[in-house]
Amino acid sequence: MTEAWMQTTADPAPTPEEGVPRPGGGRRIAVIRGESTAEIPVHLLFRDDTRPTPVVAQPGPKPGPKPGPAAPARRPARPVPVPVRPATPGDPALVERPGAVVPGAVAVAAGLAALAGSAALVWSAGLLPAAVTDALRLPSYTYTGGDGAMGPARWALLALGLALAVVCFGGLGRGRVGCAWVLSLCGEYRGSVRRTGLVWMSPLLLRRRVDVRLRHWRSEPMPAVDADGTALRAVVLVVWRIKDTARAVLAVEDHVVYLRDQVEAAMARVLSQLPADAFHEDAPTLRDAEAVGDALTRLLKAEAEPVGIEVYAAQPIRIEYAPEVAATMRRRRVAALDARHRDAVLSSVVDAVDETVARLTSRGLVELDDYERRVLVKDLTVAFYTGRGGAEGV
């Protein structure tokens, strides 16, 4: 009997029926009743749902096929907390209004009529050359010399006709699609013209052509810092157009330069509210391009409205670390991702072990005391962690 005991304890791989030695002496009784143990298929013990769910065998109809895993819900974008401040005040009296304009055909007809009247005065006074009257087959009048043929009244009418022709033809302009004129006289705003085609405007008014089409502007890499003071470089795409031509031309010296400066200032304000990366916590960061774009659009709309500019969208195209800190922050990000991956794998393994032990004990397949439970948990944890690491490595 002693020799059998020594032979059993010396065996490096005891069978399940023979048991394994316990610290207190004697043998360990097999934990599975009426069945022989086999190798645990590790790959079948991982589940998509990481929550431990004990399964209790109950009589009932055979369950149907399990539905596939639901698609993960998209996390809504959290707004960037940008402090609100009053917008730049604009001139309430400076608002776009229609300017005085006449169809070009009317101005052309009036100019031709003025020229025709002036020519008739000159012809009736006999001042037209004989070659012209013969070519037009008109009766010729003899010029008697002096002012008797014209007289002061005719000279006044001639001057008035020529002046009217100059005004009619000098005020013609061609309106184009997507462009407008801002009219002013002696520094005073006199209206805006958005009509297309041939139009007539007073030649005494100063005209400034403005592009009112939808435009976009892509910035160069702009320097900024995040909430942690890390240097960044950001590229922004802004879609905008001129809504009020009067304010865009008269309320600011150069509306394009103004908009670009406001984009840079708004980008600096938005990026300084959040960190570029949250390495060890689940917190809002500048990687959420939608939230950053919404905050940037709100700021630009408020700042550009007083100068007649309507901003439709301002979206960051690229937010990256400055070259002097890019290598260091990249190493930190890789280390944080590796640590997060290890935590996720370990949590999955612990949940799988808990579920496996719960399923074995709830079905009555095994009876475990505290020592046996600890041993089983340890072995399953090592096996699962090794299997998960190998599966993800492939």
Side-chain angles (χ1 to χ4, degrees):
M1 185 67 181
T2 305
E3 295 177 358
W5 167 254
M6 295 176 59
Q7 184 177 2
T8 303
T9 56
D11 189 2
T15 62
E17 291 76 14
E18 293 175 346
V20 294
R22 298 183 60 178
R27 299 188 200 180
R28 172 186 167 190
I29 301 175
V31 295
I32 302 179
R33 299 176 180 176
E35 295 186 13
S36 59
T37 59
E39 182 181 359
I40 299 177
V42 175
H43 66 282
L44 297 179
L45 296 176
F46 292 105
R47 297 170 60 89
D48 294 335
D49 189 3
T50 58
R51 296 174 296 178
T53 307
V55 179
V56 180
Q58 295 181 355
K62 185 177 180 180
K66 296 182 179 180
R74 183 180 179 184
R75 185 175 60 182
R78 287 174 283 190
V80 180
V82 181
V84 180
R85 66 181 184 184
T88 305
D91 187 1
L94 188 60
V95 181
E96 179 181 344
R97 63 179 183 271
V101 63
V102 176
V106 176
V108 170
L112 292 177
L115 288 179
S118 300
L121 286 175
V122 174
W123 167 70
S124 64
L127 297 178
L128 285 179
V132 175
T133 57
D134 294 340
L136 298 176
R137 296 181 180 181
L138 296 175
S140 59
Y141 294 94
T142 304
Y143 176 65
T144 58
D147 296 338
M150 289 289 293
R154 290 190 175 186
W155 282 112
L157 290 176
L158 179 61
L160 181 61
L162 294 177
L164 180 60
V166 170
V167 170
C168 290
F169 290 109
L172 292 177
R174 182 170 60 91
R176 292 182 292 181
V177 177
C179 294
W181 280 296
V182 177
L183 309 179
S184 61
L185 178 62
C186 300
E188 183 181 357
Y189 175 63
R190 289 303 182 92
S192 300
V193 178
R194 291 178 177 261
R195 296 182 59 175
T196 58
L198 187 65
V199 295
W200 180 88
M201 296 163 285
S202 173
L204 301 178
L205 299 177
L206 177 62
R207 310 176 191 179
R208 300 179 185 179
R209 189 182 294 272
V210 183
D211 190 349
V212 295
R213 294 175 295 181
L214 188 68
R215 289 189 276 179
H216 70 279
W217 173 67
R218 176 172 177 154
S219 70
E220 297 294 331
M222 297 182 295
V225 294
D226 64 355
D228 298 331
T230 307
L232 303 175
R233 293 292 184 272
V235 179
V236 186
L237 178 65
V238 183
V239 180
W240 62 283
R241 73 175 180 90
I242 293 180
K243 183 178 180 180
D244 192 315
T245 57
R247 292 185 176 183
V249 174
L250 302 177
V252 66
E253 181 178 1
D254 191 337
H255 59 273
V256 176
V257 176
Y258 176 85
L259 179 62
R260 293 182 179 181
D261 293 341
Q262 290 299 329
V263 169
E264 187 172 359
M267 176 58 68
R269 290 180 57 190
V270 172
L271 296 188
S272 63
Q273 303 302 316
L274 294 176
D277 286 296
F279 296 105
H280 302 289
E281 58 183 2
D282 185 14
T285 64
L286 297 178
R287 301 298 176 184
D288 192 349
E290 184 177 355
V292 175
D294 292 343
L296 184 59
T297 302
R298 291 196 305 269
L299 287 180
L300 284 180
K301 279 187 176 181
E303 296 294 339
E305 185 177 2
V307 296
I309 297 177
E310 183 176 8
V311 177
Y312 289 98
Q315 293 294 329
I317 298 178
R318 186 173 65 252
I319 300 177
E320 57 188 11
Y321 291 105
E324 58 269 18
V325 299
T328 302
M329 302 308 295
R330 190 178 299 112
R331 288 194 296 267
R332 287 187 59 187
R333 181 172 178 79
V334 171
L337 291 176
D338 185 59
R340 188 177 302 175
H341 172 72
R342 289 197 302 268
D343 293 341
V345 171
L346 183 58
S347 300
S348 176
V349 167
V350 171
D351 294 340
V353 170
D354 189 10
E355 182 180 359
T356 303
V357 174
R359 293 175 66 182
L360 291 175
T361 55
S362 62
R363 293 183 179 182
L365 299 178
V366 295
E367 294 181 357
L368 303 174
D369 57 14
D370 293 340
Y371 173 75
E372 292 168 342
R373 182 183 292 273
R374 287 196 297 269
V375 173
L376 180 61
V377 169
K378 177 182 178 181
D379 295 341
L380 289 177
T381 302
V382 174
F384 288 0
Y385 195 86
T386 304
R388 176 56 62 90
E392 295 190 358
V394 175

